[in-house]
């Protein structure tokens, strides 16, 4: 989801953002509750009917968070009463299954009840249209206006809607199982769904693809809306993958995989000389992008966002592929252009099969990264070896992220204003120029500042999913040959540390 709504003390209604609603559970119009969901669904139904889509198919799915069952039921019943053919997924399932179902059925829309990796106190309402893609403007504002015109929730008609069977899930699993390029399957995998709904589906997908040496974090496998073993149910957060890496070490795994609670994000862990570590999203992103390009058809396109590493662009050029850069969020990435075969964002989102799922998909990403790792293992290599290859060919691309959590969205505007009033002239010894993306026109206009030098880049922007200010950092250091790799990485680490210090001063 690309928009989290934070309410104020006056109970301001949740804003219908670019993917729907997301906010705290509670009473009143400023929180997620059945009345909010009923009125939102009535507005969505009205918007669809105004576009001559009345009576068409709408798919409804849910995760296992507090309130998700009731919210999904209310959504389906309002749509059924409005005359739509409602397909209700049979149980809590990953968000990518919903996105797949919308595209597979050529549905007019899909609604997934989920708050993704937000805290246990939140829930959300995520909307897909346009062949299974997230909303873009002006649809989000138009639907919000339609919601505002809806009367009291008690006056909105509702009719029964019966859940479907597993047929769509079976089709999704068959599609994912067919994605691998190679035939090697000798790979031991450790897996956690972080108390979310991805566990059973991920195990089924990996098994169907031939990966059967699977070990799961028992304490985090079953869905639990309280997320009891993690502070934040997000594999990006410190400590969230500790249990996974401990399991991977204890069973002698070759690969570790963490999904976020609705399984649309995939984090990858690898062993190394200093123990296990989680790859950054940019590292997994370039590995999967190159793997997809290895078997892509003519004139393929890969894409990432303005805050992601610049490495994929260099790899794509070397492979004869086209590259596109978009604003953050998969609503933009999946619309990057014709011939799109792969897209990723640094926040652990990967779209490896845009023909079937026009959104990030942690399940299919897990299967394809296992395919890549197994093929490398058969040749006596591993994922970090390929990252070394990229460093020698394209330079060391060292990246990190520094963020500050705030209590209210308005604090983010104040922080951005202070930055714009005092832009730096150099970063980590590199002269930089500043570009304010709010001054742009067209598709890449957004609330962000880019500070760019010859070998240094920093992008500062408010988060679209959490009340955070985020600084995305990257330095590039050339490598003469493989013998100079350690020296180049040390220099990159030094410069990256300087960038972190500056970012923290913000």
């Amino acid at each position: 989801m690309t928009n989290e709504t934070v309410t104020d003390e006056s109970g301001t209604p949740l804003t219908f953002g670019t993917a729907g609603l997301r906010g705290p559970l509670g009473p009143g119009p400023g929180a997620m509750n059945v009345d909010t969901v009923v009125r939102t669904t009535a507005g969505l139904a009205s918007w669809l009917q105004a576009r001559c889509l009345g009576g068409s198919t709408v798919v409804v799915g849910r995760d296992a968070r507090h309130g998700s069952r009731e919210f999904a039921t209310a959504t389906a019943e309002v749509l059924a009463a409005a005359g739509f053919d409602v397909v209700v997924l049979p149980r809590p399932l990953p968000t990518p299954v919903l996105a797949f179902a919308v595209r597979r059925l050529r549905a007019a829309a899909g609604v997934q009840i989920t708050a993704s990796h937000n805290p246990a106190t939140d829930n959300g309402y995520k909307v897909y249209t346009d062949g299974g893609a997230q909303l873009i403007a002006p649809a989000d504002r138009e639907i919000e206006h339609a919601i505002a015109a809806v009367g009291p929730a008690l006056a909105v008609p509702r009719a029964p809607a019966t859940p479907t069977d597993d047929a769509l899930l079976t089709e999704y699993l068959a599609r994912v199982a067919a994605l691998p390029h190679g035939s090697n399957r000798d790979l031991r995998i450790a897996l956690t769904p972080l108390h979310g709904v991805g566990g059973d589906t991920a195990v089924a997908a990996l098994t169907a693809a031939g990966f059967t040496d699977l070990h799961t974090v028992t304490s985090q496998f079953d869905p639990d809306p309280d997320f009891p073993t993690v502070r934040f149910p997000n594999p990006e957060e410190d400590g969230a993958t500790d249990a996974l890496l401990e399991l991977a070490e204890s069973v002698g795994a070759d690969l570790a995989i963490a999904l976020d609670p609705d399984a649309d994000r995939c984090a990858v862990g690898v062993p190394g000389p200093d123990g296990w570590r989680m790859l950054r999203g940019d590292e997994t992103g370039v590995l999967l992008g190159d793997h997809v390009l290895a078997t892509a058809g003519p004139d393929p396109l890969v894409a990432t966002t303005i805050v992601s590493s610049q490495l994929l662009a260099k790899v794509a050029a070397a492979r004869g592929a086209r590259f596109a850069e978009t604003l953050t969020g998969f609503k933009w990435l999946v619309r990057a252009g014709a011939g799109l075969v792969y897209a990723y964002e640094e926040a652990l989102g990967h779209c490896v099969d845009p023909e079937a799922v026009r959104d990030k998909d942690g399940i299919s990403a897990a299967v394809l990264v296992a395919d890549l790792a197994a093929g490398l293992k058969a040749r006596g290599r591993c994922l970090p070896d390929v990252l070394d290859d990229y460093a020698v060919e394209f330079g060391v691309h060292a990246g990190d992220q520094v963020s500050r959590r705030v209590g209210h969205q308005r604090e983010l505007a104040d922080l951005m204003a202070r930055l714009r009033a005092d832009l730096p002239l150099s970063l980590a010894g590199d002269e930089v120029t500043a570009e304010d993306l709010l001054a742009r026109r067209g598709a890449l206009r957004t609330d962000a500042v880019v500070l760019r030098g010859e070998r240094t880049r920093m992008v500062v922007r408010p988060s679209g999913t959490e009340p955070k200010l985020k600084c995305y950092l990257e330095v590039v250091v050339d490598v003469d040959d493989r013998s100079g790799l350690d020296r180049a990485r040390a220099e990159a680490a030094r410069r990256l540390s300087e960038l972190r210090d500056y970012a923290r001063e913000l």
Side-chain angles (χ1 to χ4, degrees):
M1 210 172 292
T2 57
N3 184 18
E4 179 187 76
T5 304
V6 180
T7 59
D8 60 25
E9 295 80 3
S10 65
T12 301
L14 290 178
T15 301
F16 194 89
T18 50
L21 302 176
R22 197 189 296 188
L25 294 160
M32 287 294 298
N33 52 64
V34 171
D35 283 0
T36 296
V37 168
V38 166
R39 294 186 68 255
T40 298
T41 307
L44 173 63
S46 174
W47 181 81
L48 290 169
Q49 290 165 338
R51 276 143 190 80
C52 301
L53 295 171
S56 56
T57 300
V58 180
V59 187
V60 177
R62 64 182 173 98
D63 64 12
R65 283 178 175 266
H66 293 297
S68 287
R69 180 191 293 271
E70 294 82 2
F71 297 165
T73 297
T75 300
E77 290 179 350
V78 171
L79 289 166
F84 290 90
D85 178 13
V86 184
V87 176
V88 184
L89 297 184
R91 57 184 175 280
L93 287 170
T95 295
V97 177
L98 183 283
F100 170 85
V102 172
R103 190 158 179 80
R104 172 66 182 82
L105 297 176
R106 299 184 178 180
V111 176
Q112 177 80 352
I113 304 299
T114 182
S116 189
H117 56 275
N118 271 39
T121 53
D122 289 359
N123 211 326
Y125 183 106
K126 188 170 186 178
V127 178
Y128 290 86
T129 58
D130 191 18
Q134 295 179 32
L135 294 171
I136 57 173
D140 50 353
R141 297 280 75 84
E142 291 171 352
I143 295 173
E144 188 172 49
H145 291 154
I147 295 168
V150 175
L154 286 174
V156 175
R158 295 168 63 171
T162 304
T164 188
D165 57 21
D166 279 351
L168 287 165
L169 175 61
T170 300
E171 287 190 53
Y172 169 80
L173 290 171
R175 175 80 184 202
V176 172
L179 290 176
H181 306 166
S183 58
N184 301 105
R185 295 295 180 267
D186 178 17
L187 194 75
R188 179 164 294 174
I189 302 171
L191 172 74
T192 180
L194 289 182
H195 301 292
V197 297
D200 287 339
T201 305
V203 168
L206 287 162
T207 301
F211 299 100
T212 57
D213 192 353
L214 305 176
H215 302 259
T216 61
V217 179
T218 304
S219 63
Q220 298 176 340
F221 191 79
D222 293 331
D224 188 328
D226 293 318
F227 308 109
T229 69
V230 290
R231 185 165 173 243
F232 290 104
N234 180 351
E236 288 185 289
E237 296 283 347
D238 290 341
T241 59
D242 286 355
L244 171 68
L245 298 185
E246 290 170 8
L247 173 65
E249 177 70 29
S250 68
V251 301
D254 302 300
L255 185 71
I257 294 171
L259 305 172
D260 74 336
D262 70 331
D264 64 353
R265 301 180 189 223
C266 174
V268 176
V270 294
D274 299 321
W276 280 81
R277 75 173 182 96
M278 300 302 294
L279 297 180
R280 292 182 295 108
D282 284 322
E283 292 176 308
T284 305
V286 71
L287 287 165
L288 281 174
D290 201 13
H291 190 50
V292 170
L293 285 175
T295 57
D299 197 27
L301 172 70
V302 295
T304 190
T305 71
I306 60 170
V307 303
S308 300
S309 171
Q310 302 162 87
L311 181 54
L312 182 61
K314 298 176 182 178
V315 171
R319 308 299 187 256
R322 290 178 295 126
F323 171 79
E325 188 177 73
T326 75
L327 295 180
T328 55
F330 270 84
K331 66 171 185 171
W332 303 116
L333 282 170
V334 299
R335 295 177 171 94
L340 182 69
V341 296
Y342 175 74
Y344 92 92
E345 59 183 1
E346 50 74 42
L348 309 178
H350 309 278
C351 177
V352 302
D353 186 17
E355 184 60 32
V357 177
R358 297 188 74 201
D359 198 12
K360 53 188 176 291
D361 183 351
I363 305 294
S364 60
V367 169
L368 211 54
V369 80
D371 176 55
L372 172 59
L376 290 170
K377 182 182 177 182
R379 302 195 300 273
R381 308 192 79 214
C382 60
L383 297 178
D385 292 335
V386 181
L387 293 174
D388 287 348
D389 295 343
Y390 296 147
V392 172
E393 186 174 0
F394 305 106
V396 172
H397 287 64
D400 201 358
Q401 182 187 133
V402 174
S403 62
R404 173 181 170 181
R405 189 176 291 271
V406 299
H408 199 286
Q409 292 288 75
R410 60 175 167 261
E411 294 180 54
L412 297 176
D414 293 341
L415 289 167
M416 291 299 294
R418 285 162 51 191
L419 171 65
R420 289 182 167 106
D422 188 21
L423 293 168
L425 300 176
S426 65
L427 292 172
D430 197 7
E431 290 186 5
V432 296
T433 58
E435 182 183 10
D436 186 350
L437 299 191
L438 270 183
R440 279 188 178 183
R441 293 183 178 180
L444 289 179
R445 185 180 186 275
T446 189
D447 185 10
V449 172
V450 181
L451 304 171
R452 184 181 290 108
E454 185 178 356
R455 296 293 177 183
T456 307
R457 191 179 67 144
M458 176 187 290
V459 183
V460 186
R461 63 178 282 270
S463 170
T465 59
E466 301 172 272
K468 283 182 178 181
L469 184 71
K470 291 187 172 184
C471 299
Y472 304 85
L473 318 174
E474 186 171 44
V475 298
V476 182
V477 176
D478 289 336
V479 181
D480 293 331
D481 54 41
R482 195 168 289 269
S483 66
L485 191 52
D486 288 343
R487 184 169 58 254
R489 284 214 165 103
E491 172 64 13
R494 182 190 67 78
R495 292 176 56 192
L496 192 60
S497 179
E498 291 184 27
L499 271 186
R500 285 193 203 96
D501 290 342
Y502 174 78
R504 291 186 180 113
E505 290 176 6
L506 290 176

